[in-house]
């Protein structure tokens, strides 16, 4: 899927793909790609609960951000906390949904910058001039170990606790949201993705694909393809944006 959308008077190219992967029976990821708002969510929980949680999160933020004129930081934090409250309440009301949760990474792209709010291990990346940089910090047990130098990025991919989150939407009545603001330049590429990609593709590899592929929708397809070629152990969702060239 590719769409060119007006955003601050300039055309942004977008490629989005979500895929069930090779090992799961359902796709519990969800996404939002409605410029200037973008998001990915990775649901978890028994029965269909993960699917419910990720969809609830996306629907909650979509309706919350519509028409909001407040600063992006304020809107993002409020939207994510609102989504968290809805998921938490729903899980309390329905025993089939007890324990459901989801990650949520929500981004607004404005002129000259982007603002990302996130909870969990769905990531944001910036690719500029062939260099890739991770913008988010996973709320996971292994991220702590990587940050303290106990594990390498490659070792983290093999760690038995790699799926254990330290923060998720729906786990508690309220949630702490991490905010990242990043200045943007013409031609920058942004990626939001779930861990079905990053569990099997290293940062420098996805940076190379995003640099090589001129079309965002082709880049999105290649990212999904490489994750599936490496076993596709989880659902894979990627949202790729390219800011207009100068
Ligand atoms: Mn996942």
């Amino acid at each position: 899927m590719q769409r060119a959308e007006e955003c601050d008077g300039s055309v942004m190219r977008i490629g989005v793909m979500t895929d069930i992967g090779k090992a799961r029976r359902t796709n519990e990821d969800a996404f939002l790609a409605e410029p200037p708002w973008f998001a990915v969510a990775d649901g978890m929980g028994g029965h269909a609960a993960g699917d419910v949680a990720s969809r609830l999160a996306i629907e909650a933020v979509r309706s919350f951000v519509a028409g909001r004129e407040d600063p992006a930081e304020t809107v993002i934090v409020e939207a994510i906390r609102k989504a968290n409250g809805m998921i938490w309440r729903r899980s309390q009301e329905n025993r089939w949904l007890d324990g459901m949760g989801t990650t949520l990474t929500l981004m607004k792209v404005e002129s000259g910058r982007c603002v990302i709010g996130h909870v969990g291990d769905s990531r944001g990346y910036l690719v500029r001039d062939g260099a890739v940089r991770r913008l988010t910090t996973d709320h996971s047990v292994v991220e702590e170990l990587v940050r303290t130098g106990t594990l390498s990025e490659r070792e983290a991919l093999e760690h038995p606790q790699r799926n254990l989150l330290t923060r998720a939407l729906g786990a508690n009545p309220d949630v702490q949201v991490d905010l990242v603001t990043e200045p943007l330049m013409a031609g920058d590429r942004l990626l939001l993705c779930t861990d079905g990609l990053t569990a099997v593709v290293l940062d420098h590899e996805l940076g190379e694909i995003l640099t090589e592929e001129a079309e965002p929708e082709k880049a999105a397809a290649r990212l999904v393809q490489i994750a599936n070629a490496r076993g596709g152990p989880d659902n894979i969702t990627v949202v790729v944006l390219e800011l207009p060239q100068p």
Side-chain angles (χ1 to χ4, degrees):
M1 176 167 71
Q2 186 193 20
R3 293 179 302 180
E5 301 276 357
E6 287 293 317
C7 182
D8 291 328
S10 49
V11 177
M12 189 189 324
R13 294 196 302 167
I14 304 166
V16 184
M17 190 165 278
T18 187
D19 191 88
I20 194 169
K22 299 289 186 194
R24 299 288 173 91
R25 284 180 302 164
T26 54
N27 188 347
E28 300 191 325
D29 286 356
F31 68 87
L32 174 70
E34 294 174 8
W37 293 98
F38 303 90
V40 292
D42 178 351
M44 61 208 83
H47 308 283
D51 182 51
V52 173
S54 63
R55 270 156 221 278
L56 264 176
I58 294 295
E59 286 311 316
V61 298
R62 175 189 276 130
S63 57
F64 186 86
V65 303
R68 291 277 164 150
E69 300 293 339
D70 301 312
E73 289 87 342
T74 309
V75 178
I76 287 170
V77 170
E78 285 181 11
I80 295 176
R81 290 180 64 195
K82 182 132 188 148
N84 175 75
M86 286 176 63
I87 296 164
W88 186 79
R89 277 194 305 278
R90 186 74 69 89
S91 75
Q92 299 299 299
E93 289 161 8
N94 186 332
R95 69 189 178 96
W96 296 107
L97 301 176
D98 186 31
M100 73 171 169
T102 185
T103 70
L104 181 59
T105 297
L106 172 63
M107 173 170 72
K108 186 179 189 192
V109 177
E110 300 183 320
S111 92
R113 70 167 196 160
C114 67
V115 183
I116 301 174
H118 74 105
V119 173
D121 65 354
S122 298
R123 295 178 181 170
Y125 288 89
L126 171 67
V127 178
R128 177 184 296 160
D129 299 332
V132 62
R133 193 150 53 85
R134 202 189 298 178
L135 301 178
T136 52
T137 304
D138 295 351
H139 302 130
S140 70
V141 172
V142 296
E143 180 77 20
E144 296 287 333
L145 298 173
V146 171
R147 206 178 320 154
T148 55
T150 311
L151 286 182
S152 70
E153 185 192 354
R154 198 175 283 275
E155 285 166 341
L157 298 184
E158 305 290 329
H159 197 277
Q161 291 187 315
R162 62 189 176 276
N163 294 323
L164 216 56
L165 299 184
T166 52
R167 245 190 263 178
L169 263 66
N172 293 290
D174 201 1
V175 72
Q176 189 191 339
V177 178
D178 280 6
L179 268 182
V180 182
T181 301
E182 186 67 29
L184 295 178
M185 296 170 65
D188 279 353
R189 288 180 165 212
L190 290 159
L191 168 69
L192 299 184
C193 62
T194 57
D195 71 333
L197 178 72
T198 52
V200 288
V201 181
L202 294 169
D203 288 5
H204 78 87
E205 295 177 307
L206 59 88
E208 281 159 20
I209 290 169
L210 289 170
T211 302
E212 286 166 16
E213 284 295 349
E215 303 289 332
E217 105 276 13
K218 283 190 186 147
R222 264 189 71 189
L223 291 169
V224 168
Q225 198 175 37
I226 187 173
N228 276 326
R230 292 177 182 179
D234 193 3
N235 308 143
I236 309 140
T237 300
V238 296
V239 176
V240 179
L241 325 181
E242 184 192 51
L243 272 65
Q245 298 289 346

